[in-house]
Amino acid sequence: MKTPFIALLALFLPSMALAGCPAGTETLINCTFKNGTKSVTTCMNGDMATYSYGPTGGTPELQMTRHIRDIDMQPWHGFGRWIFEAFTFQNGDYNYTLRYAIDKLSEDQAIEGDLWVGKGEKQLAELICDAGSVDTSGYALPLFDAKIANGQSWDREEMIWTATDNQ
């Protein structure tokens, strides 16, 4: 069981110098912070997604790979001025939530984004993506369809993911 996981990590880790997603993977949300000095890169390859954060072009300070069933996602609810989606990677007691948003009434419809870092229910930090640096796969993020394909269902009334099979 460890061999396929290690092989999967090998696909991501060597090329994750925070310069975008490797060839053959799908971008979820990538952006820079602090005038380009820091970056976050999130990529999906099949049923796995990787999160990397650290100096732009450098070695990540934090990197993790999770099965998409283990990533919480809030899809856009379908109404209102803003189109937005968010997803959260867990790392022990810490959570890292990335969001993007597009103001439908804005003339340029620039994509905005941020990263929230928390421990349990307590927010520790919020980093706002540099203007113009947000890169996404577009609406809807491929994470939604991947979660559906992996036996999860989005309950719009409860706003939670539920299992639809024995996965």
Side-chain angles (χ1 to χ4, degrees), residues 116-128:
W116 293 355
V117 179
K119 183 173 184 182
E121 297 296 317
K122 182 179 180 185
Q123 182 177 333
L124 301 176
E126 180 181 11
L127 300 173
I128 306 299

Side-chain angles (χ1 to χ4, degrees), residues 50-71:
T50 299
Y51 170 102
S52 296
Y53 172 84
T56 301
T59 303
E61 297 168 2
L62 176 61
Q63 191 163 25
M64 57 187 127
T65 300
R66 301 287 183 265
H67 194 282
I68 55 96
R69 285 188 312 258
D70 299 325
I71 300 170

Side-chain angles (χ1 to χ4, degrees), residues 26-78:
E26 295 181 82
T27 298
L28 294 176
I29 299 174
N30 300 339
C31 74
T32 62
F33 309 100
K34 302 179 182 181
N35 296 315
T37 60
K38 297 281 186 168
S39 301
V40 65
T41 302
T42 57
C43 310
M44 192 174 78
N45 187 1
D47 295 340
M48 303 299 285
T50 299
Y51 170 102
S52 296
Y53 172 84
T56 301
T59 303
E61 297 168 2
L62 176 61
Q63 191 163 25
M64 57 187 127
T65 300
R66 301 287 183 265
H67 194 282
I68 55 96
R69 285 188 312 258
D70 299 325
I71 300 170
D72 190 24
M73 178 190 185
Q74 180 186 6
W76 182 45
H77 46 68

Side-chain angles (χ1 to χ4, degrees), residues 101-158:
I102 302 168
D103 180 353
K104 295 186 302 183
L105 300 180
S106 169
E107 286 188 29
D108 64 1
Q109 293 193 341
I111 302 172
E112 299 176 13
D114 58 20
L115 169 63
W116 293 355
V117 179
K119 183 173 184 182
E121 297 296 317
K122 182 179 180 185
Q123 182 177 333
L124 301 176
E126 180 181 11
L127 300 173
I128 306 299
C129 296
D130 293 334
S133 75
V134 180
D135 180 30
T136 74
S137 55
Y139 174 76
L141 290 175
L143 184 57
F144 184 87
D145 288 337
K147 290 178 82 60
I148 298 293
N150 272 270
Q152 293 182 302
S153 177
W154 177 247
D155 183 327
R156 287 187 175 272
E157 290 182 24
E158 298 294 323

